[in-house]
Amino acid sequence: MIRIGIMGYGNLGRGIECAIRQNPDMELRAVFTRRDPGTVKILTEGVPVYRAEEAAEKKDEIDVLILCGGSATDLPKQTAEFASCFHVVDSFDTHAKIPEHFERVDKAAKGNGKVAVISTGWDPGMFSLNRLYASAVLPEGADYTFWGKGVSQGHSDAIRRIEGVVDARQYTIPVEEALEAVRSGAEPELSTRQKHTRECFVVAKEGADLMRIETEIKTMPNYFADYDTTVRFISAEELARDHSGIPHGGFVIRSGRTGWNKENHHIIEYSLKLDSNPEFTSSVIVAYARAAYRLGVEGAKGCKTVFDIAPAYLSAKSGEELRATML
Amino acid sequence: MIRIGIMGYGNLGRGIECAIRQNPDMELRAVFTRRDPGTVKILTEGVPVYRAEEAAEKKDEIDVLILCGGSATDLPKQTAEFASCFHVVDSFDTHAKIPEHFERVDKAAKGNGKVAVISTGWDPGMFSLNRLYASAVLPEGADYTFWGKGVSQGHSDAIRRIEGVVDARQYTIPVEEALEAVRSGAEPELSTRQKHTRECFVVAKEGADLMRIETEIKTMPNYFADYDTTVRFISAEELARDHSGIPHGGFVIRSGRTGWNKENHHIIEYSLKLDSNPEFTSSVIVAYARAAYRLGVEGAKGCKTVFDIAPAYLSAKSGEELRATML
């Protein structure tokens, strides 16, 4: 049994808890929280909830600690810190800062004989894998990543910070014509605006200036100004009824050419359609927790990404079983 | 430079030759053939063509020998044989016999300190990878593999063996309704007939009994009897004009559930749309030739499949570059 600890019990932590239940070779041993543990009610019976500060004391009871904090402030500190006591897995997703995160975590993990798998999930994660495999197989071609249709937490939060907004939900939507152009093999150059649209459902305070709110959203730099954005005002009841899920997904497409004169075209497409973004992310993380544990048993140490881990480590099946049933 | 040799110069061998040209860290050093080398004209200038029997003598000039023979009789013998002299890569695709092929090749490769990568290509190969990743991430769910639309060489050959047939081309076509049912998350149980149809273009001898040919095709056990099959008689000119390509492709779909009560559905879909089956297969093989070489440099030995090789080994980019650009 692989003994798992969860650091942080929000949407992602709960997703990890659910995923562990689907993997019979794993058991949840503890949840750690920055809240008062007495106020945190988890789903699994009989599993203790501790204060985050107590984690290091439990290092002999846990094989892999899964870090469920955010990429902005939690993980840059936590992953390296806990890699001194545990094999760890995180879903650090600030793409531009992955190289420095890797270096920091690698040093800590190597120094303590632990395996740390960073930036798992689906992007970075499964999407990254597909970008790598596809470009290695078709070195001449173009890569396209589309996200959605799905809820962007960051964009929803940005709308909520606008004066007069009570709540909001933002969907990122890939443009169907752009997808079709890519699938045709035409290798189009696509602007930000051509790839995705943004759809916002906003609950406004009574009497708020809706025109101003809409303008503030549509002109917000980085978040909305470069996109065709739709804003719809709805009631709190409608938001709760129609937009309470956290779906997401997307597409990674490689369009490439082979042949002596590059006369043949090929399209490799990978897509995800997810009812729950945090639960799917959790499912990927848990598979990499298995890999971290097994690599650790073999004596590996240091920081790894999805690129560095042979696929067989993710599966509970043996090499013989995999060759007989899945190859 | 990774020095590559090609054993067997048919469609696949020519595809390997083209793929090497797209990978600047590789060079073609020799082609080996069972034909008279004087009759084999290859595309790359200045590269020698030798008799197959001469391969072992060239072992110091070649790092990785790519085996382009067939799975029925060539590879079961060749892969183990040449793994005593070279790192080797094959595309052995008789799924049911992979375990015994693995054992045989593993013994030969281990005994001689070589790396042998077997069963690369797209199925087995990229499709297998996607089956493994998807089932590891979503342990509760169902897997579906669809092939096509594409030319099946085996089925085309089976038609050509019928009395009165001059030439034929058979397309395997996935049933769109079945694909949609799978994508809906319904996890349908699908019979052979429900998943694929078969379309045959046949050139018959003048005066041949077309009704008999059509009946012989449609009732042929294993090949056609379990499928809805369409037979169209066309002229040799039409066959050459409209059906000279070797396209293929297909879909690997995992439909799975997560959540404490399995309340959320997820669909992972991987698809290929290939203008040239042998050229795409070759492109995958060549990426795994790079992996075989690098693993060999690190001191690895024995038989490997796509499951055993970390993705980073396939790419010409360094770990740093991959993390900075693709993760």
Side-chain angles (χ1 to χ4, degrees):
Chain A
M1 283 302 242
I2 306 172
R3 301 168 302 168
I4 306 283
I6 294 174
M7 173 62 65
Y9 194 72
N11 281 334
L12 197 60
R14 258 189 304 277
I16 300 290
E17 185 180 19
C18 295
I20 289 169
R21 197 154 81 140
Q22 293 186 300
N23 287 280
D25 58 338
M26 299 187 185
E27 56 175 336
L28 178 61
R29 291 298 285 264
V31 169
F32 301 94
T33 178
R34 281 183 300 213
R35 290 176 275 168
D36 171 2
T39 67
V40 175
K41 176 94 188 81
I42 71 169
L43 299 164
T44 314
E45 299 216 355
V47 170
V49 180
Y50 299 116
R51 287 184 303 115
E53 297 75 32
E54 296 176 274
E57 298 163 27
K58 309 292 175 189
K59 68 178 178 178
D60 295 330
E61 295 165 36
I62 289 165
D63 297 309
V64 185
L65 184 67
I66 296 177
L67 304 170
C68 299
S71 297
T73 57
D74 300 330
L75 299 176
K77 204 174 150 289
Q78 285 182 344
T79 310
E81 179 188 334
F82 290 114
S84 62
C85 302
F86 307 94
H87 303 310
V88 295
V89 184
D90 79 17
S91 57
F92 183 80
D93 67 357
T94 312
H95 291 260
K97 294 189 174 173
I98 288 173
E100 59 185 88
H101 188 58
F102 182 92
E103 294 304 330
R104 196 167 41 227
V105 172
D106 192 47
K107 194 178 286 183
K110 278 212 179 102
N112 294 280
K114 298 296 179 185
V115 173
V117 186
I118 62 162
S119 302
T120 65
W122 59 275
D123 196 1
M126 303 311 289
F127 272 19
S128 321
L129 281 175
N130 278 280
R131 287 188 285 259
L132 192 163
Y133 276 118
S135 67
V137 166
L138 295 175
E140 296 188 48
D143 264 330
Y144 299 86
T145 301
F146 292 86
W147 296 274
K149 181 182 176 176
V151 172
S152 164
Q153 215 57 57
H155 287 77
S156 302
D157 289 344
I159 300 172
R160 286 190 201 100
R161 286 191 293 266
I162 293 172
E163 169 70 32
V165 171
V166 175
D167 202 353
R169 191 60 50 102
Q170 193 269 180
Y171 294 92
T172 304
I173 305 168
V175 174
E176 195 57 43
E177 292 75 19
L179 274 169
E180 287 312 318
V182 169
R183 288 178 183 135
S184 77
E187 295 187 22
E189 286 202 29
L190 297 167
S191 67
T192 298
R193 191 176 300 274
Q194 286 173 312
K195 287 182 71 184
H196 297 92
T197 56
R198 298 197 177 279
E199 189 172 22
C200 312
F201 293 90
V202 180
V203 181
K205 273 186 194 141
E206 227 186 288
D209 179 349
L210 304 187
M211 283 288 277
R212 176 191 50 81
I213 291 173
E214 181 164 344
T215 303
E216 277 196 44
I217 294 172
K218 289 184 169 177
T219 58
M220 196 184 297
N222 302 318
Y223 284 88
F224 294 100
D226 297 336
Y227 298 85
D228 288 337
T229 301
T230 315
V231 176
R232 298 182 206 283
F233 291 96
I234 60 175
S235 68
E237 293 68 36
E238 285 170 311
L239 193 81
R241 185 190 69 204
D242 302 333
H243 305 285
S244 63
I246 320 177
H248 220 311
F251 306 81
V252 173
I253 305 177
R254 176 99 182 156
S255 172
R257 296 170 302 283
T258 65
W260 196 250
N261 298 306
K262 300 175 194 167
E263 60 273 28
N264 288 311
H265 280 77
H266 308 282
I267 300 287
I268 305 174
E269 177 168 343
Y270 179 80
S271 70
L272 297 172
K273 196 162 154 253
L274 313 175
D275 271 1
S276 164
N277 183 355
E279 284 181 11
F280 186 78
T281 300
S282 299
S283 298
V284 177
I285 292 173
V286 163
Y288 278 98
R290 176 182 292 119
Y293 173 77
R294 288 184 176 174
L295 285 163
V297 168
E298 289 180 8
K301 57 188 179 176
C303 189
K304 314 272 178 197
T305 75
V306 296
F307 296 159
D308 307 311
I309 296 175
Y313 284 99
L314 305 190
S315 172
K317 293 188 177 183
S318 70
E320 290 75 14
E321 282 178 283
L322 290 175
R323 286 190 291 276
T325 62
M326 286 201 190
L327 200 59
Chain B
M1 283 303 242
I2 306 172
R3 301 168 303 168
I4 306 284
I6 295 174
M7 174 62 65
Y9 194 72
N11 282 333
L12 197 60
R14 257 188 305 277
I16 300 290
E17 185 180 18
C18 295
I20 290 168
R21 197 155 81 140
Q22 294 187 297
N23 287 280
D25 58 338
M26 301 186 183
E27 57 175 335
L28 179 62
R29 291 298 287 264
V31 169
F32 301 95
T33 177
R34 282 184 301 214
R35 289 175 275 168
D36 171 1
T39 66
V40 175
K41 177 92 188 83
I42 71 169
L43 300 164
T44 314
E45 300 218 352
V47 171
V49 180
Y50 298 116
R51 288 183 303 115
E53 297 74 31
E54 296 176 272
E57 299 164 27
K58 309 292 176 191
K59 67 177 177 178
D60 296 329
E61 296 165 36
I62 288 166
D63 298 308
V64 184
L65 184 67
I66 296 178
L67 305 170
C68 300
S71 297
T73 57
D74 300 329
L75 298 176
K77 204 173 149 289
Q78 285 183 345
T79 310
E81 180 187 334
F82 290 113
S84 63
C85 301
F86 307 94
H87 303 311
V88 296
V89 184
D90 79 17
S91 57
F92 183 81
D93 67 357
T94 312
H95 291 259
K97 294 190 175 172
I98 287 174
E100 61 184 87
H101 188 57
F102 181 93
E103 295 304 330
R104 195 167 44 227
V105 173
D106 192 47
K107 193 178 286 183
K110 277 212 179 102
N112 294 281
K114 298 295 179 187
V115 174
V117 186
I118 62 161
S119 301
T120 66
W122 59 275
D123 196 359
M126 302 312 290
F127 272 19
S128 321
L129 280 176
N130 277 279
R131 287 188 285 261
L132 192 163
Y133 276 118
S135 68
V137 166
L138 295 176
E140 295 187 50
D143 264 330
Y144 299 86
T145 301
F146 293 86
W147 296 274
K149 180 180 177 177
V151 172
S152 165
Q153 215 56 58
H155 287 78
S156 301
D157 289 345
I159 300 172
R160 286 190 201 101
R161 287 192 292 265
I162 292 173
E163 169 72 32
V165 171
V166 176
D167 202 353
R169 191 61 49 103
Q170 193 269 179
Y171 295 92
T172 305
I173 305 168
V175 175
E176 195 57 43
E177 293 74 20
L179 275 168
E180 289 310 318
V182 169
R183 288 178 182 135
S184 77
E187 294 187 22
E189 286 203 28
L190 297 167
S191 67
T192 297
R193 190 176 299 274
Q194 286 173 311
K195 287 183 71 185
H196 297 93
T197 57
R198 298 196 177 279
E199 189 172 22
C200 312
F201 294 89
V202 181
V203 181
K205 270 186 196 141
E206 226 185 289
D209 180 349
L210 303 187
M211 282 287 277
R212 176 191 51 79
I213 291 172
E214 181 164 344
T215 304
E216 279 197 44
I217 294 172
K218 289 184 171 178
T219 58
M220 197 185 296
N222 303 318
Y223 285 88
F224 294 101
D226 298 334
Y227 298 85
D228 289 338
T229 300
T230 316
V231 177
R232 297 181 206 284
F233 292 95
I234 61 175
S235 68
E237 292 69 35
E238 285 170 311
L239 193 81
R241 187 191 66 204
D242 302 333
H243 305 283
S244 62
I246 319 175
H248 220 312
F251 306 82
V252 174
I253 305 177
R254 177 98 182 156
S255 173
R257 296 170 303 284
T258 65
W260 196 249
N261 298 306
K262 299 175 194 165
E263 61 274 28
N264 288 311
H265 280 77
H266 308 281
I267 301 287
I268 304 174
E269 177 167 343
Y270 179 81
S271 70
L272 296 173
K273 194 162 156 254
L274 312 175
D275 271 1
S276 164
N277 183 356
E279 285 183 11
F280 186 80
T281 300
S282 300
S283 298
V284 177
I285 292 173
V286 163
Y288 278 98
R290 176 181 291 121
Y293 173 76
R294 289 184 176 174
L295 285 163
V297 168
E298 290 180 7
K301 57 188 180 177
C303 189
K304 313 274 179 197
T305 75
V306 296
F307 296 159
D308 307 312
I309 296 176
Y313 285 99
L314 303 190
S315 172
K317 293 188 177 182
S318 70
E320 290 76 14
E321 283 178 283
L322 291 175
R323 286 191 291 276
T325 62
M326 286 201 189
L327 199 59

